[in-house]
Amino acid sequence: MSLAAEQGWAGGWIRVRENDVPATRLRLNDDLGANHMQSLRLLAWTPLGDVGELHLGLTTHRLDGSAQFAAPVYFNGTKVAPGRLDTATHFQDFIELDASYWRRLADVGRGGSLWGSLGARYVMLNFKLDGAIAADSPGHELKEDFYVQELPVPMLGLHLRYPLSDVLQLTADASWGRLPWVNSLRTEGGEVRLAQTDSEEQVALAYRADPHWRFTAYVFHTEFAQDERSREDGNAVYLHDSGAGISAEYAF
């Protein structure tokens, strides 16, 4: 089991439409000032036979920022008056659940191994803003609960484990998932269709302190895109995040 903390530099954009009210396309860093994202990861795994493993993960993110607008902003059918607008998406608003089966594919060099994985990811995003709602606003809600339409996204991965010495190990991981346009099985002003893409790459150096404890430093890049469309809604978010993290692992 391991616990990791990450600091990332975020980018991307979000647009949330409600009925016929226009939606402002807001860039996370340039418009909202949401330049950084902090993440906490809890990972657990257990062997399944001689060449397989079951991996489970829980990740939470915090994305916040602040910006000043000279013109009104429209978000989720709500008109935000000119002035300060804060991004207030905290750890409890942005959660990922992962489950995957890993299988050893090949030996690499002296003691290394290449693994493949197949699983699913479920993202629960409730994107929140905080600003002064205009007096003539048609709506009064500054959040979009993307998780209401969410479906599990199939994920594929490749994972390299290569020893550099008795206590140092190089690891490299890449995973990708895609959900093409599908019926979300929910209705909001008619059928809601959903598309989503997830990807993640990571390179790490792990140090084994003793038979139980291992400490890791790594760099990463992630991308997340979700698009929801119905007669009533037109919501889309694209988020990319690059940064570094550290983790502590304990083997029972």
Side-chain angles (χ1 to χ4, degrees), residues 123-149:
V123 179
M124 295 181 289
L125 171 60
N126 188 22
F127 194 93
K128 293 182 177 181
L129 298 176
D130 185 17
I133 298 175
D136 60 344
S137 174
H140 296 84
E141 188 173 65
L142 286 178
K143 66 177 182 178
E144 175 51 37
D145 44 8
F146 284 90
Y147 66 86
V148 172
Q149 322 298 346

mmCIF file with all atom_site columns, all heavy atoms in Angstrom, residues 123-149:
data_model
loop_
_atom_site.group_PDB
_atom_site.id
_atom_site.type_symbol
_atom_site.label_atom_id
_atom_site.label_alt_id
_atom_site.label_comp_id
_atom_site.label_asym_id
_atom_site.label_entity_id
_atom_site.label_seq_id
_atom_site.pdbx_PDB_ins_code
_atom_site.Cartn_x
_atom_site.Cartn_y
_atom_site.Cartn_z
_atom_site.occupancy
_atom_site.B_iso_or_equiv
_atom_site.pdbx_formal_charge
_atom_site.auth_seq_id
_atom_site.auth_comp_id
_atom_site.auth_asym_id
_atom_site.auth_atom_id
_atom_site.pdbx_PDB_model_num
ATOM 1   N N   . VAL A 1 123 ? -14.548 8.762  -12.580 1.00 0.00 ? 123 VAL A N   1
ATOM 2   C CA  . VAL A 1 123 ? -14.203 10.108 -12.135 1.00 0.00 ? 123 VAL A CA  1
ATOM 3   C C   . VAL A 1 123 ? -15.454 10.822 -11.643 1.00 0.00 ? 123 VAL A C   1
ATOM 4   O O   . VAL A 1 123 ? -16.458 10.884 -12.355 1.00 0.00 ? 123 VAL A O   1
ATOM 5   C CB  . VAL A 1 123 ? -13.548 10.917 -13.273 1.00 0.00 ? 123 VAL A CB  1
ATOM 6   C CG1 . VAL A 1 123 ? -13.207 12.325 -12.792 1.00 0.00 ? 123 VAL A CG1 1
ATOM 7   C CG2 . VAL A 1 123 ? -12.306 10.207 -13.781 1.00 0.00 ? 123 VAL A CG2 1
ATOM 8   N N   . MET A 1 124 ? -15.371 11.349 -10.429 1.00 0.00 ? 124 MET A N   1
ATOM 9   C CA  . MET A 1 124 ? -16.478 12.121 -9.858  1.00 0.00 ? 124 MET A CA  1
ATOM 10  C C   . MET A 1 124 ? -16.028 13.578 -9.719  1.00 0.00 ? 124 MET A C   1
ATOM 11  O O   . MET A 1 124 ? -15.301 13.931 -8.789  1.00 0.00 ? 124 MET A O   1
ATOM 12  C CB  . MET A 1 124 ? -16.882 11.537 -8.503  1.00 0.00 ? 124 MET A CB  1
ATOM 13  C CG  . MET A 1 124 ? -17.458 10.137 -8.608  1.00 0.00 ? 124 MET A CG  1
ATOM 14  S SD  . MET A 1 124 ? -17.986 9.424  -7.018  1.00 0.00 ? 124 MET A SD  1
ATOM 15  C CE  . MET A 1 124 ? -16.395 9.131  -6.256  1.00 0.00 ? 124 MET A CE  1
ATOM 16  N N   . LEU A 1 125 ? -16.450 14.421 -10.679 1.00 0.00 ? 125 LEU A N   1
ATOM 17  C CA  . LEU A 1 125 ? -16.059 15.835 -10.708 1.00 0.00 ? 125 LEU A CA  1
ATOM 18  C C   . LEU A 1 125 ? -17.275 16.721 -10.493 1.00 0.00 ? 125 LEU A C   1
ATOM 19  O O   . LEU A 1 125 ? -18.261 16.623 -11.218 1.00 0.00 ? 125 LEU A O   1
ATOM 20  C CB  . LEU A 1 125 ? -15.400 16.169 -12.050 1.00 0.00 ? 125 LEU A CB  1
ATOM 21  C CG  . LEU A 1 125 ? -15.124 17.655 -12.312 1.00 0.00 ? 125 LEU A CG  1
ATOM 22  C CD1 . LEU A 1 125 ? -14.193 18.233 -11.260 1.00 0.00 ? 125 LEU A CD1 1
ATOM 23  C CD2 . LEU A 1 125 ? -14.546 17.851 -13.711 1.00 0.00 ? 125 LEU A CD2 1
ATOM 24  N N   . ASN A 1 126 ? -17.179 17.582 -9.500  1.00 0.00 ? 126 ASN A N   1
ATOM 25  C CA  . ASN A 1 126 ? -18.184 18.612 -9.247  1.00 0.00 ? 126 ASN A CA  1
ATOM 26  C C   . ASN A 1 126 ? -17.445 19.947 -9.292  1.00 0.00 ? 126 ASN A C   1
ATOM 27  O O   . ASN A 1 126 ? -16.886 20.389 -8.288  1.00 0.00 ? 126 ASN A O   1
ATOM 28  C CB  . ASN A 1 126 ? -18.852 18.394 -7.892  1.00 0.00 ? 126 ASN A CB  1
ATOM 29  C CG  . ASN A 1 126 ? -20.040 19.323 -7.682  1.00 0.00 ? 126 ASN A CG  1
ATOM 30  O OD1 . ASN A 1 126 ? -20.621 19.826 -8.630  1.00 0.00 ? 126 ASN A OD1 1
ATOM 31  N ND2 . ASN A 1 126 ? -20.397 19.546 -6.430  1.00 0.00 ? 126 ASN A ND2 1
ATOM 32  N N   . PHE A 1 127 ? -17.397 20.554 -10.487 1.00 0.00 ? 127 PHE A N   1
ATOM 33  C CA  . PHE A 1 127 ? -16.602 21.769 -10.696 1.00 0.00 ? 127 PHE A CA  1
ATOM 34  C C   . PHE A 1 127 ? -17.353 22.963 -10.105 1.00 0.00 ? 127 PHE A C   1
ATOM 35  O O   . PHE A 1 127 ? -18.500 23.229 -10.459 1.00 0.00 ? 127 PHE A O   1
ATOM 36  C CB  . PHE A 1 127 ? -16.344 21.978 -12.181 1.00 0.00 ? 127 PHE A CB  1
ATOM 37  C CG  . PHE A 1 127 ? -15.277 22.989 -12.469 1.00 0.00 ? 127 PHE A CG  1
ATOM 38  C CD1 . PHE A 1 127 ? -13.967 22.589 -12.642 1.00 0.00 ? 127 PHE A CD1 1
ATOM 39  C CD2 . PHE A 1 127 ? -15.588 24.331 -12.563 1.00 0.00 ? 127 PHE A CD2 1
ATOM 40  C CE1 . PHE A 1 127 ? -12.973 23.515 -12.908 1.00 0.00 ? 127 PHE A CE1 1
ATOM 41  C CE2 . PHE A 1 127 ? -14.606 25.271 -12.822 1.00 0.00 ? 127 PHE A CE2 1
ATOM 42  C CZ  . PHE A 1 127 ? -13.293 24.870 -12.997 1.00 0.00 ? 127 PHE A CZ  1
ATOM 43  N N   . LYS A 1 128 ? -16.667 23.722 -9.231  1.00 0.00 ? 128 LYS A N   1
ATOM 44  C CA  . LYS A 1 128 ? -17.314 24.819 -8.510  1.00 0.00 ? 128 LYS A CA  1
ATOM 45  C C   . LYS A 1 128 ? -16.604 26.147 -8.730  1.00 0.00 ? 128 LYS A C   1
ATOM 46  O O   . LYS A 1 128 ? -15.372 26.210 -8.742  1.00 0.00 ? 128 LYS A O   1
ATOM 47  C CB  . LYS A 1 128 ? -17.334 24.517 -7.002  1.00 0.00 ? 128 LYS A CB  1
ATOM 48  C CG  . LYS A 1 128 ? -18.218 23.345 -6.606  1.00 0.00 ? 128 LYS A CG  1
ATOM 49  C CD  . LYS A 1 128 ? -18.218 23.165 -5.090  1.00 0.00 ? 128 LYS A CD  1
ATOM 50  C CE  . LYS A 1 128 ? -19.139 22.052 -4.651  1.00 0.00 ? 128 LYS A CE  1
ATOM 51  N NZ  . LYS A 1 128 ? -19.147 21.895 -3.173  1.00 0.00 ? 128 LYS A NZ  1
ATOM 52  N N   . LEU A 1 129 ? -17.406 27.186 -8.914  1.00 0.00 ? 129 LEU A N   1
ATOM 53  C CA  . LEU A 1 129 ? -16.922 28.562 -8.951  1.00 0.00 ? 129 LEU A CA  1
ATOM 54  C C   . LEU A 1 129 ? -17.584 29.358 -7.830  1.00 0.00 ? 129 LEU A C   1
ATOM 55  O O   . LEU A 1 129 ? -18.629 28.962 -7.300  1.00 0.00 ? 129 LEU A O   1
ATOM 56  C CB  . LEU A 1 129 ? -17.242 29.210 -10.303 1.00 0.00 ? 129 LEU A CB  1
ATOM 57  C CG  . LEU A 1 129 ? -16.615 28.578 -11.549 1.00 0.00 ? 129 LEU A CG  1
ATOM 58  C CD1 . LEU A 1 129 ? -17.107 29.287 -12.809 1.00 0.00 ? 129 LEU A CD1 1
ATOM 59  C CD2 . LEU A 1 129 ? -15.101 28.618 -11.474 1.00 0.00 ? 129 LEU A CD2 1
ATOM 60  N N   . ASP A 1 130 ? -16.981 30.489 -7.497  1.00 0.00 ? 130 ASP A N   1
ATOM 61  C CA  . ASP A 1 130 ? -17.534 31.358 -6.450  1.00 0.00 ? 130 ASP A CA  1
ATOM 62  C C   . ASP A 1 130 ? -17.385 32.803 -6.903  1.00 0.00 ? 130 ASP A C   1
ATOM 63  O O   . ASP A 1 130 ? -16.270 33.297 -7.077  1.00 0.00 ? 130 ASP A O   1
ATOM 64  C CB  . ASP A 1 130 ? -16.792 31.129 -5.128  1.00 0.00 ? 130 ASP A CB  1
ATOM 65  C CG  . ASP A 1 130 ? -17.412 31.920 -3.975  1.00 0.00 ? 130 ASP A CG  1
ATOM 66  O OD1 . ASP A 1 130 ? -18.566 32.370 -4.119  1.00 0.00 ? 130 ASP A OD1 1
ATOM 67  O OD2 . ASP A 1 130 ? -16.741 32.090 -2.943  1.00 0.00 ? 130 ASP A OD2 1
ATOM 68  N N   . GLY A 1 131 ? -18.521 33.456 -7.135  1.00 0.00 ? 131 GLY A N   1
ATOM 69  C CA  . GLY A 1 131 ? -18.513 34.849 -7.571  1.00 0.00 ? 131 GLY A CA  1
ATOM 70  C C   . GLY A 1 131 ? -19.839 35.510 -7.263  1.00 0.00 ? 131 GLY A C   1
ATOM 71  O O   . GLY A 1 131 ? -20.768 34.878 -6.737  1.00 0.00 ? 131 GLY A O   1
ATOM 72  N N   . ALA A 1 132 ? -19.933 36.788 -7.593  1.00 0.00 ? 132 ALA A N   1
ATOM 73  C CA  . ALA A 1 132 ? -21.163 37.551 -7.343  1.00 0.00 ? 132 ALA A CA  1
ATOM 74  C C   . ALA A 1 132 ? -22.136 37.341 -8.496  1.00 0.00 ? 132 ALA A C   1
ATOM 75  O O   . ALA A 1 132 ? -21.844 37.710 -9.642  1.00 0.00 ? 132 ALA A O   1
ATOM 76  C CB  . ALA A 1 132 ? -20.844 39.033 -7.177  1.00 0.00 ? 132 ALA A CB  1
ATOM 77  N N   . ILE A 1 133 ? -23.292 36.748 -8.207  1.00 0.00 ? 133 ILE A N   1
ATOM 78  C CA  . ILE A 1 133 ? -24.304 36.499 -9.226  1.00 0.00 ? 133 ILE A CA  1
ATOM 79  C C   . ILE A 1 133 ? -25.022 37.802 -9.566  1.00 0.00 ? 133 ILE A C   1
ATOM 80  O O   . ILE A 1 133 ? -25.461 38.533 -8.666  1.00 0.00 ? 133 ILE A O   1
ATOM 81  C CB  . ILE A 1 133 ? -25.295 35.430 -8.743  1.00 0.00 ? 133 ILE A CB  1
ATOM 82  C CG1 . ILE A 1 133 ? -24.550 34.114 -8.502  1.00 0.00 ? 133 ILE A CG1 1
ATOM 83  C CG2 . ILE A 1 133 ? -26.411 35.218 -9.759  1.00 0.00 ? 133 ILE A CG2 1
ATOM 84  C CD1 . ILE A 1 133 ? -25.417 33.022 -7.911  1.00 0.00 ? 133 ILE A CD1 1
ATOM 85  N N   . ALA A 1 134 ? -25.135 38.090 -10.853 1.00 0.00 ? 134 ALA A N   1
ATOM 86  C CA  . ALA A 1 134 ? -25.786 39.325 -11.300 1.00 0.00 ? 134 ALA A CA  1
ATOM 87  C C   . ALA A 1 134 ? -27.263 39.321 -10.924 1.00 0.00 ? 134 ALA A C   1
ATOM 88  O O   . ALA A 1 134 ? -27.910 38.270 -10.865 1.00 0.00 ? 134 ALA A O   1
ATOM 89  C CB  . ALA A 1 134 ? -25.622 39.486 -12.803 1.00 0.00 ? 134 ALA A CB  1
ATOM 90  N N   . ALA A 1 135 ? -27.802 40.523 -10.693 1.00 0.00 ? 135 ALA A N   1
ATOM 91  C CA  . ALA A 1 135 ? -29.206 40.653 -10.272 1.00 0.00 ? 135 ALA A CA  1
ATOM 92  C C   . ALA A 1 135 ? -30.162 40.139 -11.343 1.00 0.00 ? 135 ALA A C   1
ATOM 93  O O   . ALA A 1 135 ? -31.249 39.631 -11.016 1.00 0.00 ? 135 ALA A O   1
ATOM 94  C CB  . ALA A 1 135 ? -29.506 42.112 -9.943  1.00 0.00 ? 135 ALA A CB  1
ATOM 95  N N   . ASP A 1 136 ? -29.786 40.252 -12.616 1.00 0.00 ? 136 ASP A N   1
ATOM 96  C CA  . ASP A 1 136 ? -30.666 39.807 -13.700 1.00 0.00 ? 136 ASP A CA  1
ATOM 97  C C   . ASP A 1 136 ? -30.300 38.413 -14.204 1.00 0.00 ? 136 ASP A C   1
ATOM 98  O O   . ASP A 1 136 ? -30.675 38.034 -15.316 1.00 0.00 ? 136 ASP A O   1
ATOM 99  C CB  . ASP A 1 136 ? -30.632 40.803 -14.854 1.00 0.00 ? 136 ASP A CB  1
ATOM 100 C CG  . ASP A 1 136 ? -29.226 40.979 -15.440 1.00 0.00 ? 136 ASP A CG  1
ATOM 101 O OD1 . ASP A 1 136 ? -28.246 40.566 -14.770 1.00 0.00 ? 136 ASP A OD1 1
ATOM 102 O OD2 . ASP A 1 136 ? -29.115 41.530 -16.553 1.00 0.00 ? 136 ASP A OD2 1
ATOM 103 N N   . SER A 1 137 ? -29.580 37.634 -13.417 1.00 0.00 ? 137 SER A N   1
ATOM 104 C CA  . SER A 1 137 ? -29.152 36.303 -13.849 1.00 0.00 ? 137 SER A CA  1
ATOM 105 C C   . SER A 1 137 ? -30.341 35.364 -13.966 1.00 0.00 ? 137 SER A C   1
ATOM 106 O O   . SER A 1 137 ? -31.183 35.288 -13.062 1.00 0.00 ? 137 SER A O   1
ATOM 107 C CB  . SER A 1 137 ? -28.151 35.725 -12.848 1.00 0.00 ? 137 SER A CB  1
ATOM 108 O OG  . SER A 1 137 ? -27.840 34.388 -13.170 1.00 0.00 ? 137 SER A OG  1
ATOM 109 N N   . PRO A 1 138 ? -30.439 34.587 -15.038 1.00 0.00 ? 138 PRO A N   1
ATOM 110 C CA  . PRO A 1 138 ? -31.529 33.615 -15.178 1.00 0.00 ? 138 PRO A CA  1
ATOM 111 C C   . PRO A 1 138 ? -31.357 32.401 -14.264 1.00 0.00 ? 138 PRO A C   1
ATOM 112 O O   . PRO A 1 138 ? -32.327 31.726 -13.949 1.00 0.00 ? 138 PRO A O   1
ATOM 113 C CB  . PRO A 1 138 ? -31.457 33.201 -16.655 1.00 0.00 ? 138 PRO A CB  1
ATOM 114 C CG  . PRO A 1 138 ? -30.055 33.479 -17.059 1.00 0.00 ? 138 PRO A CG  1
ATOM 115 C CD  . PRO A 1 138 ? -29.607 34.659 -16.253 1.00 0.00 ? 138 PRO A CD  1
ATOM 116 N N   . GLY A 1 139 ? -30.148 32.107 -13.844 1.00 0.00 ? 139 GLY A N   1
ATOM 117 C CA  . GLY A 1 139 ? -29.888 30.976 -12.948 1.00 0.00 ? 139 GLY A CA  1
ATOM 118 C C   . GLY A 1 139 ? -29.120 31.431 -11.725 1.00 0.00 ? 139 GLY A C   1
ATOM 119 O O   . GLY A 1 139 ? -28.658 32.570 -11.640 1.00 0.00 ? 139 GLY A O   1
ATOM 120 N N   . HIS A 1 140 ? -28.953 30.514 -10.767 1.00 0.00 ? 140 HIS A N   1
ATOM 121 C CA  . HIS A 1 140 ? -28.297 30.894 -9.509  1.00 0.00 ? 140 HIS A CA  1
ATOM 122 C C   . HIS A 1 140 ? -27.401 29.775 -8.987  1.00 0.00 ? 140 HIS A C   1
ATOM 123 O O   . HIS A 1 140 ? -27.239 29.629 -7.768  1.00 0.00 ? 140 HIS A O   1
ATOM 124 C CB  . HIS A 1 140 ? -29.342 31.279 -8.449  1.00 0.00 ? 140 HIS A CB  1
ATOM 125 C CG  . HIS A 1 140 ? -30.144 32.489 -8.804  1.00 0.00 ? 140 HIS A CG  1
ATOM 126 N ND1 . HIS A 1 140 ? -31.267 32.426 -9.619  1.00 0.00 ? 140 HIS A ND1 1
ATOM 127 C CD2 . HIS A 1 140 ? -29.964 33.794 -8.491  1.00 0.00 ? 140 HIS A CD2 1
ATOM 128 C CE1 . HIS A 1 140 ? -31.751 33.651 -9.775  1.00 0.00 ? 140 HIS A CE1 1
ATOM 129 N NE2 . HIS A 1 140 ? -30.992 34.495 -9.107  1.00 0.00 ? 140 HIS A NE2 1
ATOM 130 N N   . GLU A 1 141 ? -26.775 29.018 -9.883  1.00 0.00 ? 141 GLU A N   1
ATOM 131 C CA  . GLU A 1 141 ? -25.929 27.911 -9.456  1.00 0.00 ? 141 GLU A CA  1
ATOM 132 C C   . GLU A 1 141 ? -24.581 27.996 -10.156 1.00 0.00 ? 141 GLU A C   1
ATOM 133 O O   . GLU A 1 141 ? -24.514 27.981 -11.380 1.00 0.00 ? 141 GLU A O   1
ATOM 134 C CB  . GLU A 1 141 ? -26.602 26.571 -9.771  1.00 0.00 ? 141 GLU A CB  1
ATOM 135 C CG  . GLU A 1 141 ? -25.871 25.377 -9.196  1.00 0.00 ? 141 GLU A CG  1
ATOM 136 C CD  . GLU A 1 141 ? -26.662 24.084 -9.390  1.00 0.00 ? 141 GLU A CD  1
ATOM 137 O OE1 . GLU A 1 141 ? -26.837 23.687 -10.556 1.00 0.00 ? 141 GLU A OE1 1
ATOM 138 O OE2 . GLU A 1 141 ? -27.090 23.493 -8.385  1.00 0.00 ? 141 GLU A OE2 1
ATOM 139 N N   . LEU A 1 142 ? -23.503 28.063 -9.360  1.00 0.00 ? 142 LEU A N   1
ATOM 140 C CA  . LEU A 1 142 ? -22.161 28.183 -9.903  1.00 0.00 ? 142 LEU A CA  1
ATOM 141 C C   . LEU A 1 142 ? -21.377 26.887 -9.697  1.00 0.00 ? 142 LEU A C   1
ATOM 142 O O   . LEU A 1 142 ? -20.263 26.883 -9.169  1.00 0.00 ? 142 LEU A O   1
ATOM 143 C CB  . LEU A 1 142 ? -21.428 29.362 -9.252  1.00 0.00 ? 142 LEU A CB  1
ATOM 144 C CG  . LEU A 1 142 ? -21.891 30.747 -9.709  1.00 0.00 ? 142 LEU A CG  1
ATOM 145 C CD1 . LEU A 1 142 ? -21.148 31.837 -8.973  1.00 0.00 ? 142 LEU A CD1 1
ATOM 146 C CD2 . LEU A 1 142 ? -21.713 30.904 -11.218 1.00 0.00 ? 142 LEU A CD2 1
ATOM 147 N N   . LYS A 1 143 ? -21.961 25.779 -10.098 1.00 0.00 ? 143 LYS A N   1
ATOM 148 C CA  . LYS A 1 143 ? -21.265 24.499 -10.069 1.00 0.00 ? 143 LYS A CA  1
ATOM 149 C C   . LYS A 1 143 ? -21.850 23.618 -11.166 1.00 0.00 ? 143 LYS A C   1
ATOM 150 O O   . LYS A 1 143 ? -22.981 23.832 -11.620 1.00 0.00 ? 143 LYS A O   1
ATOM 151 C CB  . LYS A 1 143 ? -21.407 23.816 -8.707  1.00 0.00 ? 143 LYS A CB  1
ATOM 152 C CG  . LYS A 1 143 ? -22.831 23.400 -8.374  1.00 0.00 ? 143 LYS A CG  1
ATOM 153 C CD  . LYS A 1 143 ? -22.886 22.657 -7.044  1.00 0.00 ? 143 LYS A CD  1
ATOM 154 C CE  . LYS A 1 143 ? -24.320 22.199 -6.740  1.00 0.00 ? 143 LYS A CE  1
ATOM 155 N NZ  . LYS A 1 143 ? -24.393 21.435 -5.476  1.00 0.00 ? 143 LYS A NZ  1
ATOM 156 N N   . GLU A 1 144 ? -21.073 22.627 -11.578 1.00 0.00 ? 144 GLU A N   1
ATOM 157 C CA  . GLU A 1 144 ? -21.562 21.647 -12.543 1.00 0.00 ? 144 GLU A CA  1
ATOM 158 C C   . GLU A 1 144 ? -21.141 20.266 -12.072 1.00 0.00 ? 144 GLU A C   1
ATOM 159 O O   . GLU A 1 144 ? -19.949 19.966 -11.976 1.00 0.00 ? 144 GLU A O   1
ATOM 160 C CB  . GLU A 1 144 ? -21.022 21.918 -13.936 1.00 0.00 ? 144 GLU A CB  1
ATOM 161 C CG  . GLU A 1 144 ? -21.395 20.862 -14.959 1.00 0.00 ? 144 GLU A CG  1
ATOM 162 C CD  . GLU A 1 144 ? -22.888 20.554 -14.995 1.00 0.00 ? 144 GLU A CD  1
ATOM 163 O OE1 . GLU A 1 144 ? -23.704 21.505 -14.827 1.00 0.00 ? 144 GLU A OE1 1
ATOM 164 O OE2 . GLU A 1 144 ? -23.248 19.383 -15.177 1.00 0.00 ? 144 GLU A OE2 1
ATOM 165 N N   . ASP A 1 145 ? -22.149 19.436 -11.789 1.00 0.00 ? 145 ASP A N   1
ATOM 166 C CA  . ASP A 1 145 ? -21.895 18.091 -11.268 1.00 0.00 ? 145 ASP A CA  1
ATOM 167 C C   . ASP A 1 145 ? -21.732 17.106 -12.421 1.00 0.00 ? 145 ASP A C   1
ATOM 168 O O   . ASP A 1 145 ? -22.648 16.347 -12.744 1.00 0.00 ? 145 ASP A O   1
ATOM 169 C CB  . ASP A 1 145 ? -23.002 17.663 -10.309 1.00 0.00 ? 145 ASP A CB  1
ATOM 170 C CG  . ASP A 1 145 ? -24.399 17.990 -10.825 1.00 0.00 ? 145 ASP A CG  1
ATOM 171 O OD1 . ASP A 1 145 ? -24.511 18.412 -12.008 1.00 0.00 ? 145 ASP A OD1 1
ATOM 172 O OD2 . ASP A 1 145 ? -25.358 17.837 -10.064 1.00 0.00 ? 145 ASP A OD2 1
ATOM 173 N N   . PHE A 1 146 ? -20.534 17.110 -13.020 1.00 0.00 ? 146 PHE A N   1
ATOM 174 C CA  . PHE A 1 146 ? -20.234 16.194 -14.126 1.00 0.00 ? 146 PHE A CA  1
ATOM 175 C C   . PHE A 1 146 ? -20.448 14.742 -13.717 1.00 0.00 ? 146 PHE A C   1
ATOM 176 O O   . PHE A 1 146 ? -20.749 13.886 -14.551 1.00 0.00 ? 146 PHE A O   1
ATOM 177 C CB  . PHE A 1 146 ? -18.789 16.384 -14.594 1.00 0.00 ? 146 PHE A CB  1
ATOM 178 C CG  . PHE A 1 146 ? -18.562 17.611 -15.434 1.00 0.00 ? 146 PHE A CG  1
ATOM 179 C CD1 . PHE A 1 146 ? -18.224 18.814 -14.847 1.00 0.00 ? 146 PHE A CD1 1
ATOM 180 C CD2 . PHE A 1 146 ? -18.672 17.555 -16.818 1.00 0.00 ? 146 PHE A CD2 1
ATOM 181 C CE1 . PHE A 1 146 ? -18.007 19.946 -15.614 1.00 0.00 ? 146 PHE A CE1 1
ATOM 182 C CE2 . PHE A 1 146 ? -18.454 18.672 -17.592 1.00 0.00 ? 146 PHE A CE2 1
ATOM 183 C CZ  . PHE A 1 146 ? -18.123 19.884 -16.990 1.00 0.00 ? 146 PHE A CZ  1
ATOM 184 N N   . TYR A 1 147 ? -20.277 14.448 -12.438 1.00 0.00 ? 147 TYR A N   1
ATOM 185 C CA  . TYR A 1 147 ? -20.372 13.049 -11.977 1.00 0.00 ? 147 TYR A CA  1
ATOM 186 C C   . TYR A 1 147 ? -21.765 12.457 -12.152 1.00 0.00 ? 147 TYR A C   1
ATOM 187 O O   . TYR A 1 147 ? -21.924 11.235 -12.176 1.00 0.00 ? 147 TYR A O   1
ATOM 188 C CB  . TYR A 1 147 ? -19.941 12.948 -10.511 1.00 0.00 ? 147 TYR A CB  1
ATOM 189 C CG  . TYR A 1 147 ? -20.851 13.656 -9.543  1.00 0.00 ? 147 TYR A CG  1
ATOM 190 C CD1 . TYR A 1 147 ? -21.976 13.023 -9.025  1.00 0.00 ? 147 TYR A CD1 1
ATOM 191 C CD2 . TYR A 1 147 ? -20.583 14.962 -9.120  1.00 0.00 ? 147 TYR A CD2 1
ATOM 192 C CE1 . TYR A 1 147 ? -22.822 13.672 -8.135  1.00 0.00 ? 147 TYR A CE1 1
ATOM 193 C CE2 . TYR A 1 147 ? -21.418 15.617 -8.231  1.00 0.00 ? 147 TYR A CE2 1
ATOM 194 C CZ  . TYR A 1 147 ? -22.533 14.969 -7.741  1.00 0.00 ? 147 TYR A CZ  1
ATOM 195 O OH  . TYR A 1 147 ? -23.375 15.614 -6.865  1.00 0.00 ? 147 TYR A OH  1
ATOM 196 N N   . VAL A 1 148 ? -22.788 13.290 -12.275 1.00 0.00 ? 148 VAL A N   1
ATOM 197 C CA  . VAL A 1 148 ? -24.152 12.769 -12.404 1.00 0.00 ? 148 VAL A CA  1
ATOM 198 C C   . VAL A 1 148 ? -24.297 11.926 -13.670 1.00 0.00 ? 148 VAL A C   1
ATOM 199 O O   . VAL A 1 148 ? -25.035 10.940 -13.696 1.00 0.00 ? 148 VAL A O   1
ATOM 200 C CB  . VAL A 1 148 ? -25.161 13.932 -12.386 1.00 0.00 ? 148 VAL A CB  1
ATOM 201 C CG1 . VAL A 1 148 ? -26.559 13.438 -12.705 1.00 0.00 ? 148 VAL A CG1 1
ATOM 202 C CG2 . VAL A 1 148 ? -25.149 14.628 -11.029 1.00 0.00 ? 148 VAL A CG2 1
ATOM 203 N N   . GLN A 1 149 ? -23.576 12.299 -14.726 1.00 0.00 ? 149 GLN A N   1
ATOM 204 C CA  . GLN A 1 149 ? -23.661 11.562 -15.993 1.00 0.00 ? 149 GLN A CA  1
ATOM 205 C C   . GLN A 1 149 ? -22.506 10.566 -16.169 1.00 0.00 ? 149 GLN A C   1
ATOM 206 O O   . GLN A 1 149 ? -22.412 9.898  -17.202 1.00 0.00 ? 149 GLN A O   1
ATOM 207 C CB  . GLN A 1 149 ? -23.649 12.539 -17.176 1.00 0.00 ? 149 GLN A CB  1
ATOM 208 C CG  . GLN A 1 149 ? -24.413 13.825 -16.969 1.00 0.00 ? 149 GLN A CG  1
ATOM 209 C CD  . GLN A 1 149 ? -25.891 13.635 -16.722 1.00 0.00 ? 149 GLN A CD  1
ATOM 210 O OE1 . GLN A 1 149 ? -26.426 12.561 -16.950 1.00 0.00 ? 149 GLN A OE1 1
ATOM 211 N NE2 . GLN A 1 149 ? -26.562 14.671 -16.244 1.00 0.00 ? 149 GLN A NE2 1
#
